[in-house]
Amino acid sequence: MSTASNPGYLGYQPTLQPLKLTTGASFVQTIQPSGGAVFPAGTAIVIVLTAPGGAPLGSWNATVDANSARWTVPAATCDDIPANARYTMLVTYPTSPATTYAWYAGSVIRT
């Protein structure tokens, strides 16, 4: 059964969106909280990458302050990530106990 209050699944659903990497270019991304919100002190955000078969490829930690989460990943690191790899962006809030959400997830596309 699916309703507005029950979308047909349990649990938090990440936004599904591809992560685009361009050969020879760094991955540069900034995320800002909306509506005047801020990231609480101690918030951690990481992009976890896995190969198409599921093997770990590494993770990219954001630099987080109250107003933004920023990544600048060198091209030499990005170029090793193959097309069709998977990624999940995880945000961990400093609650007690810590709460981790999968914010974004999807496939890596290459250009």
Side-chain angles (χ1 to χ4, degrees):
M1 170 159 72
S2 179
T3 66
S5 63
N6 176 3
Y9 56 82
L10 296 176
Y12 183 84
Q13 178 69 27
T15 299
L16 301 177
Q17 186 171 331
L19 186 149
K20 185 181 241 183
L21 298 176
T22 301
T23 302
S26 298
F27 172 74
V28 179
Q29 180 70 50
T30 300
I31 295 176
Q32 297 175 308
S34 60
V38 297
F39 290 123
T43 299
I45 305 175
V46 61
I47 295 173
V48 177
L49 297 141
T50 57
L57 294 173
S59 58
W60 302 341
N61 292 301
T63 300
V64 181
D65 61 33
N67 300 307
S68 66
R70 295 176 308 283
W71 290 264
T72 302
V73 181
T77 300
C78 297
D79 286 351
D80 289 341
I81 306 301
N84 299 315
R86 303 285 304 164
Y87 83 95
T88 304
M89 181 188 294
L90 301 171
V91 59
T92 302
Y93 292 111
T95 55
S96 183
T99 305
T100 301
Y101 293 93
W103 260 5
Y104 289 88
S107 296
V108 173
I109 56 176
R110 306 270 339 165
T111 58

